[in-house]
Amino acid sequence: KTQRLLEELRTVKSTNATEIRRLKKELATLRKVMIGYINQIDSLSRLTTHQKEVIADVTRKYNVASQQISNLSEEKKNLNKKVTLAAQLDATNINIQATKTAKKVKDVVKLKINFTIVKNITAETGERTLYVRITKPDNDVLSKSASNTFPYENRELVYSIKKYIEYNGEEQHVTVYWDVEEFLYAGSYRIDIFSDGTLIGSQSFNLD
């Protein structure tokens, strides 16, 4: 419309002063409208820029908060692991004695296993179940029954000896016995002790 008014202004006769004034007035009005549009567009542009900055700032803060939550979750998980580890029993000073009717390995009639459950003030007190596995040199586990099992890391392990103790948080000496009813041969044997689904002690020994 502005372009059309300019064309009319150029083509109108110079003597037609009234028409020229009308066209100039209408042109001035249109220019004011255009300036208003320009100002609105500029304001909208500034508003859009501000909104983008706000969105970017909120996004940044969200990402920071998400990372902090993730870090706290990981710290909590690590702390829980440490607390769990700290509360576990620990078996030390594992000693194995073989009772023989003669000097040969085939004459072993009993195995006496001594060990110490160390003092742990963070461990839960009360009745605890200990599982002892005696493994032969061929990795076969001595057991009185294939049904003698306990859970460990999402599977069932065969145990040799099951022992109940009343744990009060203080150091405690434990003795268990294995009556030999199978053939034993010379080689390296191993004792593994478990409690609450955790391996708490191991010791190798030789039968000559």
Side-chain angles (χ1 to χ4, degrees):
K1 187 174 182 180
T2 302
Q3 187 64 34
R4 181 178 59 78
L5 287 173
L6 289 171
E7 288 295 329
E8 289 183 21
L9 193 56
R10 279 196 295 268
T11 57
V12 75
K13 292 181 179 180
S14 59
T15 56
N16 196 343
T18 301
E19 184 65 13
I20 291 173
R21 283 196 300 271
R22 184 188 68 79
L23 291 172
K24 284 185 176 181
K25 184 178 180 181
E26 191 172 347
L27 188 59
T29 300
L30 285 173
R31 281 176 175 165
K32 287 181 181 178
V33 172
M34 289 175 67
I35 291 172
Y37 285 153
I38 291 171
N39 290 337
Q40 287 183 37
I41 291 170
D42 186 54
S43 296
L44 287 171
S45 177
R46 287 197 300 271
L47 181 61
T48 302
T49 301
H50 176 66
Q51 287 175 333
K52 287 180 179 178
E53 290 174 352
V54 170
I55 291 171
D57 185 54
V58 170
T59 301
R60 181 185 60 79
K61 290 178 179 178
Y62 171 80
N63 290 335
V64 170
S66 295
Q67 186 60 47
Q68 289 176 339
I69 291 172
S70 177
N71 291 342
L72 286 173
S73 178
E74 191 63 29
E75 286 180 18
K76 180 183 176 182
K77 188 187 297 183
N78 291 334
L79 284 173
N80 287 338
K81 286 182 180 178
K82 289 180 181 178
V83 170
T84 302
L85 288 173
Q88 291 175 358
L89 299 184
D90 187 23
T92 62
N93 301 324
I94 302 172
N95 178 263
I96 302 92
Q97 298 174 357
T99 302
K100 301 179 183 179
T101 56
K103 292 184 178 182
K104 295 181 179 181
V105 175
K106 66 180 183 65
D107 297 318
V108 174
V109 294
K110 189 183 293 290
L111 294 175
K112 179 181 179 181
I113 304 165
N114 297 303
F115 55 91
T116 302
I117 302 296
V118 300
K119 179 178 180 179
N120 189 341
I121 59 174
T122 62
E124 183 180 350
T125 58
E127 186 179 81
R128 309 296 280 271
T129 305
L130 306 179
Y131 296 96
V132 179
R133 277 166 56 98
I134 306 171
T135 306
K136 298 192 295 183
D138 61 0
N139 290 324
D140 187 28
V141 177
L142 299 180
S143 181
K144 301 302 182 185
S145 171
S147 63
N148 290 346
T149 62
F150 66 97
Y152 178 70
E153 294 185 350
N154 300 319
R155 56 193 175 118
E156 293 293 319
L157 295 183
V158 174
Y159 66 81
S160 306
I161 306 167
K162 184 177 183 179
K163 175 74 173 180
Y164 296 103
I165 64 169
E166 192 68 28
Y167 186 67
N168 60 5
E170 297 297 324
E171 182 176 282
Q172 186 170 343
H173 300 289
V174 181
T175 299
V176 294
Y177 297 91
W178 175 259
D179 292 323
V180 178
E181 299 172 346
E182 54 279 297
F183 174 75
L184 298 183
Y185 50 90
S188 178
Y189 289 71
R190 189 179 73 252
I191 298 291
D192 294 309
I193 305 170
F194 297 80
S195 178
D196 301 319
T198 303
L199 176 63
I200 64 172
S202 295
Q203 181 66 52
S204 296
F205 66 101
N206 288 319
L207 287 180
D208 300 321

